[in-house]
Amino acid sequence: LGNAAKYTPEGGHIGLRLREDGDSWVLAVSDDGIGMEPSLVSRVFDLFTQAERAPDRSQGGLGLGLALARSLAELHGGSIGASSPGLGKGSTFTVRLPQVGEEAESQVMDAVRHAATAQAPLRVLVVDDNLDAAHTLELFLAAGGHRVEVAYNALDAIEAAKLFSPQVCLLDIGLPDMDGKELARRLRRLPQTAGATLVAATGYGRQQDRDAAREAGFDHYMVKPVNTVQLSQLLAQEGAPPAAHQA
């Protein structure tokens, strides 16, 4: 819906339709906005795929958000697809999710519930210049009972760390004012975060990127969209009593 509003000019139309198809629910969001070329439709859910931006960068691009949407749909056992007749002819995004009974529970919510009951709440600092990614992580972590602070650039993160003394820091690598690896080095030099667990959350997944992050002081490395089940397990380990760590 956010993309439909962003890419549909004033006076355009946005449609929302929900229907039942066998044992699934199908939710479709359609618009008559700018549409997409066939080459973009085929890769629109890939990480950091972008349409051509306006010169003033006012509309942004199709980057992380759709990849995150696909990941969330798949974690719930569903799928998401896109179609467009072409440029200037609008787009339709369709989400398919399985019908489940009230007793059923997703893998994600099971991990959240386990994290909330099996560990002490942690102080977590999330640093990401992508607002959608940052707030999605914030909501997820808060649902697990953690205290969360969010910063959108490295300098603000350093100031927040001095006041908040986070036990875990989730850091994007590609920040606007400072490389995430340099931010990790500076956090390691702060007394408030010298012993914190530093987790890289980035779109770069090459081995050389992982090695560079390790050298910069990161303890863990996660490729976006972050696997929330793995993140819950990591936080459960961090929040466990010392005896559990040794076990």
Side-chain angles (χ1 to χ4, degrees), residues 19-138:
R19 63 183 175 87
E20 190 174 7
D21 183 14
D23 58 356
S24 298
W25 292 111
V26 180
L27 179 69
V29 179
S30 59
D31 63 70
D32 53 9
I34 64 173
M36 295 180 286
E37 295 179 339
S39 60
L40 179 59
V41 173
S42 64
R43 55 190 176 87
V44 72
F45 294 102
D46 296 341
L47 267 176
F48 304 118
T49 295
Q50 294 183 338
E52 184 176 348
R53 293 173 179 236
D56 62 358
R57 300 172 64 90
S58 60
Q59 288 190 325
L62 301 170
L64 180 65
L66 289 177
L68 179 62
R70 179 177 63 179
S71 177
L72 290 172
E74 291 176 349
L75 282 168
H76 287 283
S79 63
I80 185 170
S83 62
S84 174
L87 286 177
K89 298 180 181 179
S91 303
T92 298
F93 287 82
T94 304
V95 179
R96 178 181 292 269
L97 294 171
Q99 296 183 22
V100 294
E102 292 184 2
E103 72 281 358
E105 185 172 73
S106 73
Q107 186 182 25
V108 174
M109 289 311 300
D110 180 62
V112 172
R113 183 168 288 104
H114 174 76
T117 57
Q119 68 185 49
L122 296 170
R123 297 185 303 277
V124 184
L125 176 64
V126 174
V127 186
D128 199 320
D129 63 326
N130 184 295
L131 271 64
D132 290 339
H135 287 299
T136 298
L137 276 177
E138 180 185 19

Side-chain angles (χ1 to χ4, degrees), residues 132-149:
D132 290 339
H135 287 299
T136 298
L137 276 177
E138 180 185 19
L139 290 170
F140 178 80
L141 293 167
H146 302 293
R147 293 179 54 197
V148 187
E149 288 288 332

